[in-house]
Amino acid sequence: MVSVRGLQKWFGPLHVLKDVDLTVAAGEVVVVIGPSGSGKSTLCRCLNRLEVAGAGTIEIDGEPLPAEGRKLARLRADVGMVFQSFNLFGHRTVLDNVTLGPVRVRRVPKAEAREQALALLDRVGIADKADHYPAQLSGGQQQRAAIARALAMRPKVLLFDEPTSALDPEMVNEVLDVMVSLAAEGMTMIVVTHEMGFARRAADRVVFMDDGRIVESGTPDEFFAAPRTDRARDFLSKILQH
Amino acid sequence: MSILSRNVTRRRALTIAATAVTVALAATGCGDGGSAPALPGAAGGDKAAQSVFDAAPVASDAEIPAGSTMDKIRKRGYLTVGGSLDAPLLSQQNPVTGEIEGFDADMAKLLAKYIIGKPEVKTVTIGTQTREAMLQAKEVDAVFQTYTITPQRATQVAFAGPYLTSGLAVAVRKDETSIKSVKDLAGKTVIVGANTPAVTALPEAAPGSKQVAFATDPQAVQALLQKRGDAYVQDFTLLASNAKSNPGMKVVGEPFTTEAYGIGLNHEDTEFKEFVNNWLRKIQADGTWAKVWQNTLGSVVEGGTPTPPAIGSVEGS
Amino acid sequence: MDALTGHLGEFGHGLVTTVHMTVVTTIGALLLGVIVATLRICPVPLLRGVGTVYVEVLQNLPLLALLVLFVFALPTIGITFPLFTSAAIVISAYEGAYLAEAIRAGINTVGVGQAEAARAIGLTFSQSLRYVILPQGLRAVIQPMGTICIALLMNTSLAAAVGVVELTQAANNVNLVEAQPIAVFTGAGLAYMLLALLISRITGALERRFAIVR
C-alpha cells in the first residue's frame, strides 16, 4: 500500500531523513517510535507531501506521489492524516468539519455526506457534539472529531502524527481506543507515537527510528521483549523505567 | 505609465505623461479660473507691470487715520491678499520668476502700493469655499479672485468695486457647427468649471442642458477636446486665452451673462471699503486701470480697452 | 440654516450619488482585495509578483492623480469610460490595494495547521482558500476593513474633481449660491459622519455575527 525507497530530506544543512526504506502492506498497522528529533514526524509528513522529500521515491497504492497540483490533491484525499494539534477548522461546526472534504472533494451530495458524518461521529463517540464548534470541545473530543474527518474521505491509508501528544493524560485513552478499533477493522495505519501501550496492543509491526534512519523493525513482541540494537534498548530503558 | 505606453508611440506617451502630470498638479487648485499650460500676456508683462507700479499713486497720510485697517497694513509693511496662483491672465504664478501675474494680482499690488508706498503683497491661496470665512476671520485683508458680487454674498462680506466686468461665454470644438450660441445648448452636455458662476448660470441660460463640472480649467479644456461634453462654458477672457493656445477649440457667440467682480473685504469694515472704492475711482480716472487691463486681459481679447465699471453700480456692492 | 433647507434637492441628489459610489466601490474593492491578497500568498512566484506590484503601485500614488490620469490619459489612447464609471473603477482599484493588505494580514493570523489540514483532506489551493483560510482570515480583519471602507467613503469626494456631482460637489454648488460655507459644509460633514457611523455599525454587527468561538 505504501512503499518508500531511499527517502532523503534536508532542512537547510540539517539531514533529517537518511536513506529511509519502508513498505507497509494493505491492512497493516505500523507504529513508528523513536526519540524526538529522530525524523519520524518528518517521515510521516513526507508521505502525503506536506513536506517535500529531497530524494527518493514514495508510492501510494502503486502510484508515485505526484508533484503539486490537482493530482496531488486527489492523492491526499486517499491518504488521511491526523495531526498532533487536531487542526479542526475553527469557523465550522464539528459536522461541517467532517462533511467539507466529502462534499467538496468527493462531490458527495450534502444530505448523504451529513448522514455518513453523523454515523462516523457516532462511531468515535461524539455524535452529540455535531453542532458544536471545535473550541467548545475537549482535546480528546477534538482529536476524535479529527479522526472522523479523516475517515469521512474513506482513505486507503491513515497517517497519525503524534495524535495524543497534545492531550491531557485522562483523554489519551479515549483517542487510543478509537485507533485500536480502527486497527482491528483492518485499516492501513502508520502511527507516529510515544504510546508504547498502543504499539503493543494494535501494531502489526514497530519501526524504531533514530537520527534520521530506521534502525530496527519487527513485531511488537520481538521488539519490546528483545530489541536487537543498543540504541533501541537504550531508548526503551529510558521510557519504560517508570 | 508602463501599462499605457505599450500601445502608443514613445512621443505620444510622453505627451500623455506631460498632460497627465500637468492636469494632476492642477487638480488640487480650485479657484475661479484654473490654470493653463501657456500664459499669454505674461511675456514682457514684468517690465510693463513694473512701470505701472512705479507710476501708481500713493495715499496721503490724511487718508489713513491712526488705528484704521489701512494704518495697520502700512505698519505691517505688506498687504495680505486671498487669491489664486493658477488663473491665467488674472492671478497666476510665473514659474520662472515666482511673481504672481495677471489682472487681479496687479490690482492687489496697486492697492498695496497705495497704502504702503510699495507693491508688497503676501498672497494666500484660498478656495471658493473659504473666501467668506477668511474675510470674516480677518485672515486676509482683501480677496482679489474674480469674486462675483451677489446679494447673498454681500450679506457675508463687503464688496468694493466692481473693478472688472466680464461674462460667461461658450467654447466648442473647432469642428462643431451646430452650436452657435448659448441658445443651442439645450439637450447638450456642457462642461463647466467646478465652483464657477457657470454652475448656477447655465441652467438659467440654457434650460435642458446637462452639466459636467471639472476641478480646473486645463481639465475642462481637455475634457472638451476628449468629447466628454459638447461645449465648455467659462469666463469669456479665460476662454479667449484658451482658444489662443489651443487650436482645437473656438469661442462662439457673445458673453451671455454679466459678471461684476468685486474686491472682497470684511463685512463690518465700512471705512476700509470706502477707502478702497476711493482708490479704485482714482486709478480708473488716471488711466492706471486701463494700463493694467492692456497688460493682462487685453492681450487675448480683440477690440479696444473697455470702460471700467462704475463703482457701486451693482446690487451688493 | 436656510442655506441647507433651501437646497435639500441638491443635497439629496449628492448624497444618493455618494452612497451609490460608496456601495459600488466597496463591492469592487472587496473583490479586488480578495483577489490581490490571494495572488500575494499563492504558490506561483509570477502571480505573487503581480500582486506585490499592484499593491506597491496603487498604495504609492495619490488617488487624485490616479483619477485624473484615468479620466484624461486613457481617452488619448482611445478608451473612454463614463465619468461615474471611471471614478468607481479607480477608487475600487485604489481601495482594493489597501483591503488586499488588510486581508493578507488576516490570512496570516490563520494558523499554518489549518492550511495543512485543508490540504490533507484533498482540498486544492483555491478550495482551501475559499472554504478554510479566507473565511477565518476575513473574520479576523472585519474591523480594519470597516476602517478602510470609511476611508473609501471619504475618498469618494475626490470624484468631484472629475465631474461627478456627489455630496461634496453638491455642497460646493450650494455654497456658490448661498455663500454660507460654515452652514453648508457642516451639513455635508454631518451627512458624511452619519454614513461613517452607519458603516461602523454594520462592521460591528458583522463582527458579532461572524465571531469565531475560541
Side-chain angles (χ1 to χ4, degrees), chain B residues 150-172:
Chain B
T150 69
Q152 288 99 325
R153 285 175 176 170
T155 64
Q156 307 281 313
V157 299
F159 283 109
Y163 67 103
L164 178 67
T165 51
S166 181
L168 294 171
V170 181
V172 293

Side-chain angles (χ1 to χ4, degrees), chain C residues 47-118:
Chain C
L47 295 180
R48 269 206 307 277
V50 169
T52 308
V53 167
Y54 180 93
V55 168
E56 290 299 328
V57 167
L58 284 163
Q59 275 195 341
N60 293 322
L61 278 174
L63 177 54
L64 189 56
L66 285 172
L67 271 170
V68 170
L69 260 174
F70 194 88
V71 170
F72 292 104
L74 282 193
T76 63
I77 53 167
I79 305 165
T80 308
F81 289 107
L83 294 171
F84 184 92
T85 313
S86 302
I89 291 173
V90 173
I91 299 175
S92 297
Y94 180 79
E95 301 293 346
Y98 285 87
L99 278 177
E101 286 301 88
I103 291 167
R104 193 165 67 103
I107 289 173
N108 287 340
T109 67
V110 181
V112 65
Q114 294 285 310
E116 288 188 346

Side-chain angles (χ1 to χ4, degrees), chain B:
Chain B
M1 291 310 298
S2 62
I3 307 157
L4 297 175
S5 56
R6 198 169 47 201
N7 295 325
V8 293
T9 65
R10 186 148 165 251
R11 174 137 176 238
R12 186 104 177 268
L14 284 173
T15 320
I16 296 167
T19 312
V21 170
T22 318
V23 174
L25 290 176
T28 42
C30 45
D32 268 2
S35 72
L39 18 157
D46 273 5
K47 251 183 232 163
Q50 194 55 47
S51 73
V52 173
F53 299 147
D54 290 345
V58 179
S60 64
D61 289 347
E63 286 175 83
I64 301 186
S68 67
T69 305
M70 300 76 87
D71 186 40
K72 284 176 199 151
I73 294 165
R74 177 176 273 188
K75 291 205 172 102
R76 195 200 297 145
Y78 59 88
L79 178 73
T80 312
V81 168
S84 308
L85 299 178
D86 59 355
L89 304 171
L90 290 165
S91 186
Q92 183 178 32
Q93 190 159 36
N94 183 319
V96 181
T97 63
E99 278 298 306
I100 302 167
E101 295 163 353
F103 186 84
D104 275 348
D106 286 359
M107 291 296 279
K109 285 177 189 165
L110 288 173
L111 179 58
K113 164 98 194 264
Y114 191 66
I115 299 172
I116 305 157
K118 48 188 189 315
E120 283 299 325
V121 171
K122 191 182 150 206
T123 301
V124 179
T125 54
I126 54 178
T128 48
Q129 308 93 325
T130 50
R131 294 188 290 212
E132 292 82 17
M134 294 286 272
L135 284 169
Q136 280 161 359
K138 299 194 177 177
E139 293 286 334
V140 293
D141 299 320
V143 169
F144 287 80
Q145 201 182 29
T146 52
Y147 199 177
T148 306
I149 301 170
T150 69
Q152 288 99 325
R153 285 175 176 170
T155 64
Q156 307 281 313
V157 299
F159 283 109
Y163 67 103
L164 178 67
T165 51
S166 181
L168 294 171
V170 181
V172 293
R173 283 183 296 278
K174 203 80 177 178
D175 55 3
E176 174 68 60
T177 52
S178 66
I179 299 171
K180 295 192 175 62
S181 80
V182 69
K183 290 191 187 63
D184 302 321
L185 292 181
K188 306 280 186 186
T189 302
V190 180
I191 295 159
V192 298
N195 307 328
T196 64
V199 173
T200 45
L202 185 66
E204 286 173 28
S209 60
K210 192 172 162 287
Q211 203 177 90
V212 195
F214 287 92
T216 68
D217 176 60
Q219 287 182 2
V221 170
Q222 195 78 7
L224 176 70
L225 298 176
Q226 291 174 355
K227 304 185 182 176
R228 288 196 182 274
D230 305 304
Y232 174 26
V233 168
Q234 179 59 284
D235 182 85
F236 174 71
T237 50
L238 195 51
L239 287 185
S241 113
N242 280 331
K244 206 163 186 182
S245 50
N246 247 310
M249 62 185 279
K250 62 183 179 187
V251 182
V252 291
E254 296 294 309
F256 62 91
T257 63
T258 309
E259 303 280 335
Y261 299 135
I263 300 165
L265 304 170
N266 183 281
H267 191 246
E268 317 303 326
D269 199 346
T270 49
E271 185 187 36
F272 191 38
K273 174 177 168 178
E274 199 42 51
F275 175 88
V276 175
N277 274 335
N278 284 334
W279 161 74
L280 277 174
R281 286 189 192 97
K282 199 173 279 181
I283 61 163
Q284 287 182 354
D286 70 4
T288 309
W289 186 95
K291 278 184 212 147
V292 172
W293 195 88
Q294 286 153 12
N295 286 343
T296 55
L297 300 169
S299 64
V300 293
V301 179
E302 285 159 28
T305 306
T307 318
I311 305 305
S313 61
V314 179
E315 188 190 355
S317 63

